[in-house]
Amino acid sequence: DTGVSQDPRHKITKRGQNVTFRCDPISEHNRLYWYRQTLGQGPEFLTYFQNEAQLEKSRLLSDRFSAERPKGSFSTLEIQRTEQGDSAMYLCASSLAGGSGNTIYFGEGSWLTVV
Amino acid sequence: AQRVTQPEKLLSVFKGAPVELKCNYSYSGSPELFWYVQYSRQRLQLLLRHISRESIKGFTADLNKGETSFHLKKPFAQEEDSAMYYCALRGTPDKLIFGTGTRLQVFP
């Protein structure tokens, strides 16, 4: 499967612990997005990268969240001092450079449960 | 404000019945709209986009700027159409803004 891949697929952590998710985009895609999805809601935008540059961050992304894409390929999303409200599906997506006509492809997501 | 509204959480129909999943949007400027679908245990995937004016799996969607709508339609639903459907708007800067989704259930 050469689509967007995410790891781990499921993570259960205790409140206060740090967690990190990894995303490998489709090869040659220079745009990479992170979304969050909770039950009953559609995906909500968190942040995106053009190559290694983080171009926008949503106000949903508190200072406990940090995302990186150091070499313009894979990306990591770290959540520090997790809270129960962080329990959600974290989706990664990628595309060629932005603009109409470029499809955004999604990964299968990483489920986070904070207990 | 950039927003997508899907008023129905659940739509249930019998096989062979027509289907219309509603989507309304709020956007100043020329919108670019999409329908994404998520089948059980699968990833979110693009179904169709308005600029392509295509029919995918028998589904069509027409952008109505006057009514700010982008409803998804299919004349004869099939059981394999059962899935979660999300309407999305390409906002500014470049990102997708999703509605809350509609679950379509097609009964035999």
Side-chain angles (χ1 to χ4, degrees):
Chain A
D1 187 346
T2 56
V4 179
S5 62
Q6 295 187 242
D7 183 72
R9 295 291 315 284
H10 302 273
K11 178 74 176 178
I12 300 174
T13 191
K14 291 184 178 179
R15 191 174 52 186
Q17 298 294 303
N18 298 345
V19 296
T20 300
F21 299 111
R22 177 182 169 121
C23 171
D24 287 272
I26 294 172
S27 179
E28 298 177 356
H29 278 189
N30 48 23
R31 282 277 174 104
L32 187 147
Y33 305 81
W34 285 100
Y35 284 79
R36 182 172 69 185
Q37 186 173 20
T38 53
L39 285 176
Q41 300 296 318
E44 296 173 294
F45 171 80
L46 292 178
T47 188
Y48 83 91
F49 294 84
Q50 171 88 14
N51 300 313
E52 65 274 13
Q54 189 172 16
L55 296 186
E56 187 186 354
K57 292 195 290 187
S58 163
R59 58 184 168 76
L60 292 176
L61 213 64
S62 77
D63 56 8
R64 295 185 296 106
F65 287 69
S66 62
E68 294 182 343
R69 195 182 183 197
K71 298 183 180 179
S73 56
F74 73 92
S75 174
T76 57
L77 176 68
E78 182 184 17
I79 309 174
Q80 296 182 323
R81 305 181 303 281
T82 52
E83 301 173 356
Q84 287 188 322
D86 297 331
S87 295
M89 166 83 89
Y90 290 86
L91 291 165
C92 179
S94 71
S95 72
L96 292 171
S100 63
N102 285 322
T103 300
I104 296 176
Y105 296 89
F106 284 81
E108 294 179 290
S110 294
W111 272 108
L112 173 64
T113 302
V114 181
V115 297
Chain B
Q2 303 174 44
R3 186 168 53 245
V4 175
T5 302
Q6 293 181 252
E8 303 143 327
K9 284 198 175 295
L10 174 66
L11 183 63
S12 299
V13 300
F14 287 102
K15 176 183 172 181
V19 167
E20 182 178 48
L21 286 79
K22 297 189 187 308
C23 171
N24 289 90
Y25 66 90
S26 173
Y27 185 73
S28 56
S30 189
E32 186 178 355
L33 286 142
F34 306 82
W35 278 98
Y36 275 78
V37 60
Q38 188 168 29
Y39 300 102
S40 179
R41 303 182 188 279
Q42 294 187 27
R43 67 185 69 198
L44 200 57
Q45 57 187 281
L46 178 67
L47 180 62
L48 53 79
R49 68 180 81 210
H50 90 270
I51 58 174
S52 300
R53 293 182 168 273
E54 58 200 345
S55 173
I56 303 293
K57 299 184 179 183
F59 285 97
T60 58
D62 291 319
L63 177 61
N64 185 323
K65 292 185 179 180
E67 296 183 358
T68 60
S69 68
F70 187 57
H71 302 328
L72 183 68
K73 300 177 184 179
K74 184 169 183 177
F76 308 103
Q78 302 299 312
E79 289 179 68
E80 56 266 29
D81 296 328
S82 295
M84 197 74 188
Y85 291 81
Y86 294 96
C87 183
L89 167 72
R90 190 188 293 270
T92 51
D94 187 27
K95 63 190 177 192
L96 289 176
I97 298 164
F98 287 88
T100 50
T102 298
R103 178 170 299 283
L104 175 64
Q105 288 182 331
V106 182
F107 295 109

